[in-house]
């Protein structure tokens, strides 16, 4: 399957990968894993440069014996193994080059959204070297709905589900924090220089002074993401001309109050 677009080629995590049938080359396959509140996944992007196009696949993705059939580049309970046999890594899920932004969201982002709606905090953390596709996976292309990443899709789902309820009263706010060279910046309010880390008895560590903007529609979410990303620190590297050089944390704060029994649930969804 070809990449979704030329712009999307700077998009995916890691490098050349080969998806293998369930249990292929691994004897009995990956062992079953217990349910956990933390899930670790890997995403592989297609080759970008001519040099990468000439490379042979470096890793093979094997679905575990208790996994569903590989579908749209998804392998559950996966083992990622280097072709030379020197390295082997276990993941809850592995996504090959064929996995779309929508598939990634439904496997990773949607479960976190559902937890937040029931009052549990959630975090989606991207980790990888420069040029591996962290920013694309998290934010994607805001102007192209099929290429939007985890953050805008999750935010839009939260807004739609909260504001469409007739039995609950909801409040949604967001903040966008950048950490660059040990300095913090409010990406939604760049002139705000009063940020400092504090520890509160009931809330733990927090960034005092970080502004939380009210959200009343999906459009507000896209505007906040667009504004914040425009202020992020970027620089050219050998692997990525527009590499994000900072850590960015986009947070949604959700408060829901039942109109029948007046119970209130609060939660937040972070995307570092």
């Amino acid at each position: 399957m070809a990449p979704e677009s030329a712009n999307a080629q700077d998009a995916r995590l890691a490098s050349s990968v080969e998806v293998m049938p369930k249990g292929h080359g691994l004897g009995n396959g990956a062992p079953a894993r217990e349910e956990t509140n933390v899930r670790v996944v890997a995403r592989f992007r297609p080759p970008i440069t001519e040099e990468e196009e000439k490379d042979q696949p470096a890793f093979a993705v094997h679905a575990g014996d208790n996994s569903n059939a590989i579908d749209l580049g998804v392998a559950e309970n996966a083992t990622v193994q280097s072709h030379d046999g020197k390295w082997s890594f276990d993941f809850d899920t592995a996504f090959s080059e064929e996995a779309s932004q929508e598939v990634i969201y439904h496997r990773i982002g949607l479960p976190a959204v559902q937890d937040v709606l029931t009052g549990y905090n959630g975090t989606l953390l991207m980790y990888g070297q420069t040029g591996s596709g962290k920013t694309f996976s998290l934010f994607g292309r805001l102007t192209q709905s099929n290429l939007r990443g985890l953050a805008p899709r999750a935010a839009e789902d939260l807004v739609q589900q909260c504001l469409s309820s007739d039995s609950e009263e909801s409040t949604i706010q967001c903040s966008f924090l950048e950490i660059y060279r040990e300095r913090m910046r409010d990406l939604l309010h760049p002139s705000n220089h009063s940020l400092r880390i504090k520890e509160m008895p009931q809330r733990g560590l927090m960034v005092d002074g970080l502004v939380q903007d009210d959200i009343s529609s999906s459009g507000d979410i896209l505007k906040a993401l667009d504004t914040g990303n425009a202020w992020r620190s970027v620089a050219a590297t050998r692997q990525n001309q527009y590499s994000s050089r900072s850590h960015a944390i986009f947070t949604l704060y959700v408060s829901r109050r039942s109109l029948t029994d007046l119970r209130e649930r609060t939660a937040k969804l972070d995307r570092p």
Side-chain angles (χ1 to χ4, degrees):
M1 178 178 177
E4 292 167 327
S5 70
N7 289 336
Q9 290 185 357
D10 64 352
R12 314 296 177 78
L13 291 180
S15 182
S16 301
V17 64
E18 180 180 6
V19 179
M20 308 299 292
K22 180 166 64 177
H24 179 84
L26 289 178
N28 293 327
R33 295 178 179 83
E34 295 181 359
E35 285 295 322
T36 175
N37 291 330
V38 178
R39 299 181 67 242
V40 182
V41 307
R43 188 184 192 187
F44 294 83
R45 66 157 171 79
I48 300 172
T49 65
E50 292 184 6
E51 183 179 357
E52 288 181 350
E53 290 279 2
K54 298 176 183 178
D55 288 342
Q56 294 297 316
F59 293 91
V61 176
H62 307 265
D65 275 353
N66 61 333
S67 170
N68 296 325
I70 296 174
D71 180 34
L72 300 176
V74 179
E76 297 287 358
N77 305 303
T79 295
V80 177
Q81 189 177 58
S82 62
H83 274 282
D84 60 13
K86 293 182 179 179
W87 303 97
S88 181
F89 307 93
D90 291 338
F91 295 96
D92 293 292
T93 310
F95 300 97
S96 73
E97 303 168 6
E98 288 79 13
S100 67
Q101 294 283 70
E102 182 179 8
V103 167
I104 298 292
Y105 172 68
H106 280 283
R107 297 276 180 154
I108 301 174
L110 187 57
V113 168
Q114 292 169 339
D115 285 343
V116 169
L117 290 172
T118 57
Y120 293 95
N121 292 338
T123 298
L124 303 175
L125 174 66
M126 306 290 148
Y127 178 82
Q129 69 182 57
T130 183
S132 59
K134 301 182 298 296
T135 299
F136 180 86
S137 293
L138 186 58
F139 299 112
R141 303 285 183 267
L142 298 181
T143 56
Q144 296 175 260
S145 59
N146 64 313
L147 294 182
R148 287 175 183 168
L150 288 165
R153 290 175 185 268
E156 287 181 311
D157 263 4
L158 276 174
V159 170
Q160 290 173 4
Q161 294 195 47
C162 287
L163 300 184
S164 63
S165 175
D166 295 327
S167 61
E168 292 184 316
E169 189 177 71
S170 300
T171 301
I172 305 174
Q173 296 177 310
C174 74
S175 64
F176 207 164
L177 174 69
E178 178 184 63
I179 303 173
Y180 181 55
R181 293 182 176 178
E182 299 185 2
R183 294 186 177 181
M184 297 182 295
R185 180 164 62 163
D186 188 338
L187 291 174
L188 299 182
H189 303 273
S191 61
N192 179 12
H193 300 294
S194 60
L195 304 185
R196 58 176 180 166
I197 296 177
K198 293 180 65 176
E199 186 169 7
M200 306 292 288
Q202 301 298 326
R203 299 178 59 184
L205 289 175
M206 59 170 290
V207 179
D208 186 42
L210 182 65
V211 178
Q212 298 178 10
D213 287 353
D214 292 329
I215 298 296
S216 58
S217 68
S218 298
D220 291 342
I221 291 289
L222 297 179
K223 182 179 178 181
L225 289 171
D226 190 51
T227 299
N229 281 320
W231 282 101
R232 288 194 66 185
S233 301
V234 298
T237 68
R238 294 180 62 183
Q239 295 175 291
N240 186 356
Q241 184 177 0
Y242 301 104
S243 175
S244 301
R245 307 311 301 153
S246 64
H247 298 286
I249 304 174
F250 181 73
T251 305
L252 283 171
Y253 308 87
V254 180
S255 177
R256 308 180 75 191
R257 186 170 67 93
S258 171
L259 298 179
T260 55
D261 56 15
L262 301 183
R263 286 189 308 165
E264 186 170 353
R265 290 171 289 177
T266 60
K268 63 179 181 179
L269 182 59
D270 298 306
R271 301 168 186 85

